[in-house]
Amino acid sequence: ALLPREWLYKLQYPALFFSLLLLLITLSPFAPAINGAKRWIPLGPVSVQPMEFVKIALALYLAYFMSSKQELIKTFSRGVIPPFAVTGLFCFLLLLQPDFGSAVVLAGILFFMCVAGGTRFIYLFFSLALACAGAMALAIASPYRLRRLLAFLDPFQDAHNTGYQLVQSLLAIGSGGLFGVGLGQGTPEKIPAYYNDFIFAVVCEQLGQAFGVLLLAVYVLLILRGVTVVARARRSFEMLLGCGVLTMLGIQTFMIVAGVIKMIPLTGVTMPFLSYGGSSLLSCMAMIGILHGASARAQENLEEDILCVRG
């Protein structure tokens, strides 16, 4: 929030290359495999998940690219290929971990920032079609993703194996009722990764479905407040960066909630501010700091305008 605007404008390439380096380290022998995935870098007693900082780095780069190259943004060779290539590289490295859900988040950031930046609709349409086709191909080609997709279609058919996570999530939400079984009560340990991927199901079980709806309303208010900040931004860089931040918060919240209530297949992303994980919390606080800094600058500009009018 206190970072000078000039520094923020110069962070895109250092942040991009640093996050790329971190992702490459996760794929090296130095990073351990946890539950079949290599997403963390051990640093003594703690672990860092680079993906949480890749999102911010990509948003910084896309905001810089689209704000500084407005005259080229509608061309294919110089306005579309560079941001798509950079995002594609990060998505490819995430799929190698494997981390399909995070790759979807990065693709969503690219799509919505391209919409805000003014990319031609025809390019966005074909890229969305290719992305959907690629996601379907990856789901079919990978046995564990195919099992997850089949479990989404009918989790109760194999409730003790492939559908176990989703079945337990639905049972937890249903058993909580309207007002829950009480904080710290219930059986969250029955749900794998209940402190992370399925945290919303635990909230609904212990505090009730009414509290779950209230929690979602808080997220909606946060995003609406962010939209107000973005709308008041005078510089296209801040507007686009704000769009990227709101996309991250919105997509992750939707994906985790929709996953645990069986609206979409489970993707394994974190719920902003609520899921366990220091890297996730740090990145979310950084996103809010970016929005807060933009809001403060917008307020300063408004006060200057008022003084000018009075003068």
Side-chain angles (χ1 to χ4, degrees):
L2 300 177
L3 194 67
R5 182 188 302 173
E6 293 73 20
W7 290 19
L8 197 61
Y9 293 161
K10 297 176 181 179
L11 274 178
Q12 65 278 353
Y13 286 118
L16 203 65
F17 288 117
F18 182 66
S19 57
L20 178 62
L21 176 63
L22 291 180
L23 275 185
L24 291 174
I25 293 175
T26 62
L27 299 174
S28 70
F30 299 104
I34 302 176
N35 296 326
K38 302 188 68 172
R39 304 175 186 174
W40 299 269
I41 300 175
L43 295 175
V46 299
S47 296
V48 175
Q49 189 171 11
M51 166 54 200
E52 297 299 333
F53 307 103
V54 169
K55 295 178 293 188
I56 299 177
L58 181 64
L60 281 168
Y61 164 74
L62 293 175
Y64 163 78
F65 182 88
M66 294 178 184
S67 62
S68 62
K69 303 182 186 299
Q70 276 293 307
E71 69 281 0
L72 303 173
I73 203 67
K74 294 185 180 298
T75 64
F76 181 76
S77 60
R78 300 179 65 184
V80 174
I81 290 181
F84 275 69
V86 170
T87 307
L89 173 61
F90 280 107
C91 288
F92 175 72
L93 293 175
L94 288 171
L95 291 174
L96 291 179
Q97 290 185 348
D99 191 353
F100 182 78
S102 295
V104 172
V105 173
L106 292 191
I109 294 171
L110 173 66
F111 179 82
F112 285 104
M113 290 188 70
C114 282
V115 172
T119 304
R120 291 183 183 276
F121 175 76
I122 189 67
Y123 299 147
L124 294 175
F125 174 79
F126 281 110
S127 63
L128 183 61
L130 286 173
C132 292
M136 186 59 66
L138 287 171
I140 295 174
S142 175
Y144 91 93
R145 291 195 191 104
L146 183 59
R147 288 196 298 269
R148 181 173 288 185
L149 180 60
L150 294 175
F152 162 72
L153 297 175
D154 189 3
F156 291 92
Q157 185 176 5
D158 192 8
H160 296 287
N161 191 7
T162 56
Y164 180 78
Q165 289 179 307
L166 188 52
V167 167
Q168 293 301 319
S169 173
L170 295 173
L171 291 176
I173 295 173
S175 63
L178 194 60
F179 299 108
V181 297
L183 186 63
Q185 304 301 313
T187 54
E189 63 278 358
K190 288 186 176 181
I191 311 174
Y194 64 89
Y195 48 82
N196 197 336
D197 299 2
F198 291 89
I199 188 67
F200 185 72
V202 176
V203 168
C204 290
E205 180 187 30
Q206 296 188 8
L207 300 177
Q209 298 164 10
F211 187 86
V213 173
L214 178 62
L215 179 63
L216 293 181
V218 172
Y219 280 102
V220 171
L221 288 175
L222 175 63
I223 292 173
L224 289 177
R225 172 58 182 160
V227 171
T228 303
V229 172
V230 169
R232 291 166 54 190
R234 288 190 176 181
R235 294 175 179 257
S236 57
F237 176 85
E238 288 189 342
M239 183 273 290
L240 289 165
L241 183 57
C243 286
V245 167
L246 294 177
T247 299
M248 289 181 247
L249 294 173
I251 286 182
Q252 287 188 220
T253 303
F254 170 78
M255 288 175 66
I256 198 167
V257 173
V260 300
I261 64 175
K262 197 182 175 295
M263 283 181 60
I264 64 172
L266 296 170
T267 52
V269 297
T270 57
M271 192 166 188
F273 301 106
L274 202 59
S275 291
Y276 173 83
S279 298
S280 174
L281 182 59
L282 283 174
S283 68
C284 289
M285 296 300 288
M287 293 180 208
I288 296 302
I290 290 171
L291 287 175
H292 182 72
S295 177
R297 286 188 286 272
Q299 183 64 30
E300 291 173 2
N301 293 333
L302 179 62
E303 292 174 356
E304 290 176 2
D305 290 343
I306 293 174
L307 290 175
C308 289
V309 171
R310 289 177 177 176

